[in-house]
Structure formats: C-alpha cells, structure tokens
C-alpha cells in the first residue's frame, strides 16, 4: 500500500525539472522532499497532485495504492494539495473554504448539508479554530490561513496530502509551532503525506523519511538519522549544512590534508586523487599540543560562547582556509582559548568523498 | 494621520465643488423657478416618460451586454497569447478616443438600409437605423472599454493557484469559473457595469444620428432636454435634467452598495 512515482521525466523548455524520478511513499508515512530551488521537488509534488503530467507517459507511472492515476486529471485524483501562499478563496468564509471540496461534488456523491456542517465543524476543531468559521481569510494570521488550507485539503478525505512549502511564508516562531503541530496532526490522522521544503532542519525534525533532490534526481532517501549520519554523497552532506570542508588528496589508504596524513578505514586502491573531507563542527577536538601525528595546526580567529554551545572560528596554518568548531561549555572552559593563539585539532568523524571515484570513504 | 491632510482635503472639496457641485446645483436652482405643478407636468409628459423608459432601459441592456461580452474580451486578452494581441488590446480603447459624433455618423451609415451591415439586416426584417436597436448598438459601442479596462487588471492578478486549488478539491472547469473566478471578478465587473451604464445614460452624440429621434419611440432623454433648450425653455430642460440626475444617482448608489457587498471580504480587514 503506497503512493508511487515511477520513472517520471518533466522538462520546461530547456530546463529539466525531473530526470527519471522514482519515489515510493508507504501508506501513512510523512515524507519530506528536500532540495535547493530548481531541484524539482515542487514539480514532483505537483505531478503527484495531477497539476503537471510527465513528459514520458508511456514509460512512467503514478500509482495511488496500486491504482494507475498517471492520466487522471487533478479534479478526480483525490489528492489534497496545500499551497505555499495558501490559495484560500478570499470571497468565502473559513467555513465555506473548508466545505468547498464537498459542495462541488456531483449530486449523487455529495453529502447532505447536515453532514457537510458536521464535517467542517470537526475539521475546525482539528485545526483548533472552532470559533473562526464565519471569518474571511483576510481576517486571519498567516499560520491560521495555512491551517485552514490544510483543513480544506483534508475535507475531501484525500488519498494523499501534498504540502508545498507549507511553512515557507511564515515567520520563524510560527514556523516552529506549526511544524510541531503538523507532526502531531499526522500522528493523529495518519494520512499519507508528502511535503516540500528547502529547510533541512524542518525536514529532519518533522518527517519519517527525507528524500533529497538535486537537479531533478533523488540523491538519497532515508530516515533523518540515516541521512544525517550516512550521507550518500558530498552534495547531501553539504546540503544538510553545518559542516566543514577540508580539501586534500587520497593516497592509497590515507587522505592528506595540508601536511597531515589521516588513515582511512578502508583501502581505496586509488593513486593520488583529489578528495574532500567533510567534518561536522562537533566532531572536532581542540588541544593545545600536537599529541598524535594526525593533528592540524590552526589559529583561533574568534570565539563566542553565548548559548549552550561555544563556537570557535579557526584558520588553518597551512593556508587551507577557515573552519568552525563547536565545543560544549565545559570543554570551552577547560580549554580557555584566546584569540590569536595556535591550537591543534583532531578530526574525530570524517567522511571523505573523492570526486572522481564512485566510492566514499571514512576515516 | 499623514501630513497635508487639511490642505489636500480642502483642495479636493474645492475642486469637486467647482467642477461638479456648482454646475449641478445650478440645475436644481434653475428648476426651482418652476412651480410644483409646472414641474410635475413637465417631467411626466408622455414624451418624457417614454424617453426615460428608453434611456434607462437601453442603457441597462447595453451595459449588461457589455458586461457579458466585455468579460469574454478581457478573458481572451489576459489568458491567451496570439498574434496581434497588442493591436486588439489597443482597439478596445477606440470608443474612448473617438469623438462620439464620428462614432454616431459611422454607425448610422453602416446600419442604414443600404449600409454595409444594414443591407444584410433589412432582408431579415431587422431595422437597426432609426430604431431602439440602433440606440442599443451605439450604447454598446461606447460602453465596451469600461468593462474590459476594469476587469482586465483584476483577471491578470488572479493567482493560478486559486484555480489549481479548486481543481484539486474536485471542482470541474465550470464550477471553478462560477464558484471561484466569477465571484472574485464580481466587484470589478460591477464597477465596469456602473461606469458603462452611467456613460450610456448621458450619451448624446453617438445616439442621435442612428436613433432617428422619433418622439415616443426613439427619442432619448438628452434629446428632449436639447429640444427644450432649443425653444429657450431652460427651466423645463433643467426639470427633466433633475429627474435624470436624481435617478442616475440613486441607481449608481445602488450599484455601489451591491459592489461593496460583493467586495466585503476585502474591506473587512483585521484591525
């Protein structure tokens, strides 16, 4: 039981929005489509809704629980869609907005007025806006509008709920509240949901699984833990953010950064290839003395210790640029770093991606 | 409050007074030289009554026809790309720019029995020249741009997401139009209708050439006013003008209330 896209291609002029994308979302799952702008995430969502159609209808398929909906128009797909800018009907009250999907049904399947009222009331309770039914959208805040848009999409009992950057137009505080609320709502009603975002924090926090898109392809799909701990490519690593890049060279079983060689856990078999080592700021240890061989000397450029974690900005002495280290408050007070002094850093968890090789390594 | 309120409000009132209120109050003042029974006899004479019916009736029908066809023109100009679109777009303004007498003479020539259009209508038993149909044609001609130019920008601003949202909720194209697009266009459509209607009520130049001005049949109210003026009976002329003025005002006020009602969702903003 799943919502599935197989092998979809979509081009807009010379621009390829989707390049043979396949995606499977299990029933009741909450999946985030994460990627930079132009990566095709919104196009994929619109294609599932039936607002776009694949360029290769013979080779591609869109399945809702086994049923082929590839050529079925949006109005008959029963996919609930919420837009970034809500697209509420301004001339209708909140109540009528939510009731819209029920009122436009043909007479034979339209529920009686009493049932429509009951269902809208129930949805108003669900979005915690019971008294606001008679209001017009212009009288609501952004967060309230997005909740109405969600209720409107849910009113038709969709087979899949599709949210296009649902929190994109809201300010930071409302965003955080609303995404927590969305997660709770999903745990309550278990409707298969896909949402598009370019905010990695949002995707990792809310979704059961995250699909990362790049240039019309799915780069990696997995649980937030899998994606964060085992990124499949340098792009995923970089896109998830909060990471330092050290460029160096792979030489057989070690990677050389600056003048320091770090041993790899597996043999690469490669001879002298360009590589990039990715290290998260909290996976770096800072000491005053060069203890082992595998340390890099660096100069402290800036320290700021406000908040639960202390951040150090360091500059490599070998001219390889700046990087950031995160220390706990205790570590920071133990070390007492001063601006301008030289320290030695040890890389604890490193992932190395060799650009010209198909395999990735870790130290 | 923004600075300059007093000055700008003062200017606005002065300007409106000079351009609108003083000439209009002169109409009332001149009318007041008539006794009440003289006034009543003048404004209820059979030719005047017939002219009110004709003027208001044909103006209303012409504005209604324009509301329908003008919406289609605006729709085509906004929603489709085609060769010569800009020329068509410019042509919409012609009735604005053309002197009304020129339009009237042109229409009268076209729709005359031997005219380019009239010669095809006559065998069908349709007589556009010297008939109410002719007046309707002339009033439709001068009213078209009002509808197109008020509806067009609103239609351009209508987000495609609204239609997509309605579609994904299961609405068919017909329901999308009736339940989503038309209600959103209604305020603009009513504004355009009111402007076209008001313009038609006062229209003179383009009508007189095609109408034939037969009393009781094709004589519009402005023509009656002109006739009274020609006889130097200024008080009688202004009496009929007062009737026109008051009824136009009441009608436009009604349309404005209706327009406010259709647009209430935009005006009731969160304080």
């Amino acid at each position: 039981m799943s919502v599935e896209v197989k092998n979809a291609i979509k081009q807009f002029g010379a621009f390829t929005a989707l390049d043979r994308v396949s995606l499977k979302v299990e029933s009741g799952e909450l999946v985030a489509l994460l990627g930079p702008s132009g990566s095709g995430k919104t196009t994929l969502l619109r294609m599932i809704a039936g607002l776009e159609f694949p360029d290769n209808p013979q080779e591609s398929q869109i399945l809702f629980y086994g049923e082929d909906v590839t050529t079925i128009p949006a109005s008959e797909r029963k996919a609930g869609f919420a837009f970034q800018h809500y697209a509420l009907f301004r001339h209708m009250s909140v109540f009528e907005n939510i009731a819209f999907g029920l009122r436009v049904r043909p007479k034979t399947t339209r529920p009686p007025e009493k049932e429509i009222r009951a269902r809208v009331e129930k949805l108003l309770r669900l979005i915690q806006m019971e008294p606001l039914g008679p209001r017009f959208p212009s009288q609501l805040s952004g967060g309230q509008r997005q909740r109405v848009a969600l209720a409107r999409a849910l009113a038709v009992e969709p087979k899949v709920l599709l949210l296009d950057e649902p929190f994109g137009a809201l300010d930071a505080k409302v965003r955080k509240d609303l995404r927590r609320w969305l997660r709770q709502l999903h745990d309550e009603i278990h409707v298969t949901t896909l949402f598009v975002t370019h905010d990695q924090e949002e995707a990792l926090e809310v979704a059961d699984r995250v699909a990362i898109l790049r240039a019309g392809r799915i780069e990696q799909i997995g649980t937030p833990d899998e994606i964060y701990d085992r990124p499949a490519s340098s792009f995923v690593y970089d896109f998830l953010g909060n990471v330092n890049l050290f460029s160096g060279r792979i030489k057989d079983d070690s990677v050389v950064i600056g003048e320091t060689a770090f041993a790899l856990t597996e043999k690469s078999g490669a001879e002298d290839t360009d590589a990039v080592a990715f290290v998260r700021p909290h996976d770096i240890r800072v000491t005053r003395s060069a203890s082992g061989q595998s340390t890099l000397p660096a100069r402290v450029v800036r320290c700021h210790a406000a908040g639960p974690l202390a951040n150090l900005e360091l500059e490599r002495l070998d001219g390889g640029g700046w990087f950031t280290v995160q220390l706990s408050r205790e570590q920071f007070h133990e070390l007492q770093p001063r601006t301008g002094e030289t320290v030695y850093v040890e890389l604890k968890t490193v992932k190395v991606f060799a650009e010209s090789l198909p395999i990735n390594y870790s130290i | 409050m923004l600075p300059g309120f007093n000055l700008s409000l003062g200017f606005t009132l002065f300007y409106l007074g000079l351009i609108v209120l003083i000439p209009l109050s002169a109409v009332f003042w001149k009318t007041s030289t008539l006794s009440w029974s003289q006034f009543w006899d003048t404004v209820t004479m059979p030719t005047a009554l017939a002219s009110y019916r004709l003027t208001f009736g044909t103006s209303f029908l012409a504005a209604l026809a324009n509301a329908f066809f003008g919406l289609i023109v605006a729709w085509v100009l906004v929603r489709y790309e085609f060769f010569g679109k800009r020329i068509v777009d410019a042509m919409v303004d012609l009735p604005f720019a053309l002197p009304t007498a020129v339009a009237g003479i042109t229409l009268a020539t076209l729709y005359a029995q031997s005219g380019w259009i009239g010669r095809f209508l006559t065998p069908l038993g349709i007589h556009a020249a010297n008939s109410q149909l002719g007046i309707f044609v002339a009033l439709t001609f001068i009213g078209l741009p009002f509808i197109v130019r008020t509806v067009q920008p609103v239609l351009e601003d209508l987000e495609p997401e609204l239609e997509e949202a309605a579609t994904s909720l299961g609405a068919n194209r017909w329901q999308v139009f009736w339940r989503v697009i038309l209600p959103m266009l209604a305020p603009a459509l009513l504004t355009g209708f009111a402007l076209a209607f008001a313009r038609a009520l006062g229209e003179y130049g383009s009508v007189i050439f095609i109408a034939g001005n037969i009393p009781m049949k094709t004589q519009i109210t402005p023509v009656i006013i002109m006739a009274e003026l020609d006889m130097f009976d200024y008080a009688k002329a202004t009496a009929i003008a007062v009737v026109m003025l008051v009824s136009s005002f009441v009608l436009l006020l009604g349309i404005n209330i209706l327009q406010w009602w259709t647009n209430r969702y935009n005006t009731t903003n969160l304080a």
Side-chain angles (χ1 to χ4, degrees):
Chain A
M1 293 299 266
S2 58
V3 170
E4 218 176 329
V5 177
K6 286 182 186 167
N7 207 24
I9 295 180
K10 184 76 198 178
Q11 285 192 308
F12 297 108
F15 175 73
T16 304
L18 294 179
D19 187 6
R20 298 195 179 277
V21 167
S22 296
L23 174 72
K24 191 172 177 180
V25 180
E26 296 301 329
S27 176
E29 228 184 350
L30 176 55
V31 170
L33 300 177
L34 177 65
S37 47
S39 61
K41 52 193 192 308
T42 296
T43 308
L44 180 56
L45 199 75
R46 289 172 58 87
M47 194 172 276
I48 297 170
L51 298 170
E52 305 284 354
F53 290 90
D55 290 341
N56 55 340
Q58 280 86 27
E59 306 165 293
S60 62
Q61 248 189 336
I62 298 166
L63 300 167
F64 282 9
Y65 308 104
E67 183 198 346
D68 189 335
V69 297
T70 317
T71 54
I72 291 181
S75 57
E76 289 159 35
R77 259 190 214 192
K78 296 199 81 176
F81 201 100
F83 294 85
Q84 183 179 3
H85 298 287
Y86 328 123
L88 293 178
F89 306 128
R90 287 196 292 280
H91 59 289
M92 293 181 201
S93 65
V94 167
F95 187 98
E96 285 305 319
N97 264 283
I98 298 175
F100 184 86
L102 300 172
R103 293 208 194 284
V104 295
R105 283 194 189 168
K107 268 211 176 71
T108 46
T109 57
R110 192 189 309 152
E113 181 64 26
K114 223 176 123 187
E115 200 188 317
I116 293 180
R117 298 205 81 81
R119 274 166 74 170
V120 175
E121 296 290 347
K122 198 176 150 203
L123 283 161
L124 280 170
R125 266 197 301 282
L126 191 70
I127 59 168
Q128 299 150 14
M129 286 176 59
E130 268 175 294
L132 303 183
R135 292 255 186 113
F136 283 108
S138 62
Q139 297 168 300
L140 303 177
S141 70
Q144 288 173 327
R145 286 180 205 184
Q146 190 55 277
R147 295 204 318 253
V148 173
L150 247 132
R152 183 178 67 176
L154 286 173
V156 296
E157 291 172 336
K159 292 174 179 162
V160 56
L161 186 60
L162 305 166
L163 315 174
D164 186 9
E165 305 234 2
F167 317 123
L170 302 168
D171 58 62
K173 169 88 175 76
V174 182
R175 256 177 115 103
K176 283 209 156 162
D177 290 348
L178 209 56
R179 73 190 190 210
R180 204 162 299 140
W181 175 81
L182 175 70
R183 183 66 237 188
Q184 277 172 8
L185 181 81
H186 185 264
D187 292 342
E188 219 170 296
I189 60 175
H190 285 296
V191 57
T192 310
T193 307
L194 266 112
F195 78 99
V196 158
T197 178
H198 59 251
D199 181 342
Q200 65 279 7
E201 199 187 314
E202 194 169 285
L204 296 176
E205 188 187 312
V206 176
D208 295 323
R209 284 197 300 152
V210 179
I212 295 184
L213 279 89
R214 176 200 196 182
R217 287 171 172 276
I218 292 183
E219 192 90 351
Q220 187 177 8
I221 179 160
T223 64
D225 288 352
E226 279 168 14
I227 302 247
Y228 195 80
D229 295 336
R230 293 191 294 281
S233 67
S234 56
F235 172 80
V236 174
Y237 215 126
D238 202 14
F239 189 72
L240 290 179
N242 212 14
V243 69
N244 294 302
L245 278 64
F246 295 91
S247 47
R249 301 183 72 75
I250 285 186
K251 279 181 185 160
D252 193 27
D253 56 356
S254 64
V255 58
V256 180
I257 298 167
E259 283 145 25
T260 315
F262 295 85
L264 292 168
T265 49
E266 51 191 315
K267 278 196 187 288
S268 70
E271 269 309 310
D272 215 6
T273 314
D274 281 332
V276 181
F278 286 75
V279 190
R280 299 209 186 274
H282 49 80
D283 284 333
I284 298 177
R285 231 176 63 177
V286 183
T287 53
R288 277 245 159 61
S289 54
S291 51
Q293 306 137 325
S294 295
T295 51
L296 279 171
R299 191 174 62 86
V300 178
V301 179
R302 215 159 75 91
C303 336
H304 47 107
L309 293 169
N311 284 300
L312 296 188
E313 302 267 0
L314 303 180
E315 188 185 9
R316 278 163 62 180
L317 290 187
D318 55 28
W322 293 32
F323 59 100
T324 313
V325 178
Q326 245 166 26
L327 301 176
S328 69
R329 288 189 81 85
E330 295 84 62
Q331 286 170 324
F332 184 77
H333 284 299
E334 225 169 273
L335 188 70
Q336 301 264 350
R338 280 184 309 276
T339 310
E341 74 170 317
T342 300
V343 291
Y344 296 88
V345 300
E346 204 178 298
L347 310 179
K348 288 192 286 185
T349 309
V350 184
K351 188 113 173 137
V352 184
F353 295 96
E355 292 302 336
S356 57
L357 286 175
I359 334 160
N360 309 312
Y361 310 95
S362 36
I363 289 177
Chain B
M1 197 181 286
L2 278 174
F5 172 72
N6 289 332
L7 185 66
S8 55
L9 180 72
F11 174 77
T12 305
L13 292 179
F14 170 74
Y15 191 76
L16 275 178
L18 192 71
I19 302 293
V20 180
L21 286 179
I22 293 177
L24 289 189
S25 55
V27 172
F28 285 92
W29 175 77
K30 188 74 197 172
T31 307
S32 68
T33 59
L34 291 175
S35 75
W36 178 248
S37 65
Q38 280 173 313
F39 172 77
W40 188 250
D41 289 343
T42 308
V43 300
T44 58
M45 60 185 181
T47 49
L49 289 179
S51 81
Y52 302 147
R53 275 196 294 275
L54 178 69
T55 306
F56 284 98
T58 42
S59 295
F60 185 83
L61 288 180
L64 209 61
N66 273 328
F68 182 72
F69 292 106
L71 177 61
I72 296 177
V73 173
W75 183 271
V76 168
L77 287 176
V78 172
R79 291 293 169 107
Y80 300 103
E81 288 304 322
F82 54 90
F83 179 75
K85 177 171 160 170
R86 298 182 70 107
I87 294 170
V88 175
D89 195 56
M91 264 165 51
V92 169
D93 284 331
L94 276 183
F96 270 154
L98 211 60
T100 52
V102 176
I105 293 166
T106 312
L107 288 173
T109 315
L110 282 176
Y111 284 93
Q113 275 192 22
S114 55
W116 284 0
I117 298 175
R119 79 172 74 157
F120 296 108
L121 294 179
T122 313
L124 301 172
I126 302 168
H127 299 281
N130 305 328
S131 76
Q132 297 183 358
L133 180 66
I135 302 173
F136 173 77
V137 169
L139 295 181
T140 309
F141 173 80
I142 51 125
L144 178 73
F146 290 99
I147 306 278
V148 178
R149 290 296 177 238
T150 49
V151 171
Q152 206 175 6
V154 181
L155 201 53
E156 271 165 3
D157 286 346
L158 216 62
E159 310 103 278
E161 283 89 9
L162 287 174
E163 288 164 59
E164 290 179 347
T167 307
S168 76
L169 289 166
N172 58 38
R173 290 185 66 86
W174 193 241
Q175 287 170 321
V176 171
F177 180 77
W178 278 104
R179 287 172 178 260
V180 177
I181 298 174
L182 198 62
M184 310 230 55
L185 294 181
L189 207 53
L190 273 170
T191 305
F193 176 84
L195 289 171
F197 181 52
R199 175 77 170 80
L201 287 177
E203 181 56 21
Y204 180 74
S206 63
V207 175
I208 48 165
F209 296 101
I210 198 169
N213 311 321
I214 310 156
M216 302 300 291
K217 275 183 75 183
T218 62
Q219 198 176 35
I220 56 169
T221 311
V223 170
I224 294 200
I225 297 173
M226 272 305 288
E228 297 294 347
L229 289 178
D230 281 342
M231 292 184 284
F232 301 105
D233 204 339
Y234 295 133
K236 269 189 169 181
T238 55
I240 294 171
V242 162
V243 173
M244 282 290 280
L245 200 62
V246 171
S247 29
S248 306
F249 184 77
V250 170
L251 280 169
L252 290 176
L253 193 68
I255 294 171
N256 267 315
I257 291 172
L258 192 62
Q259 193 208 345
W260 166 81
W261 185 79
T262 55
N263 200 27
R264 68 202 182 287
Y265 53 86
N266 270 339
T267 48
T268 50
N269 267 310
L270 198 61

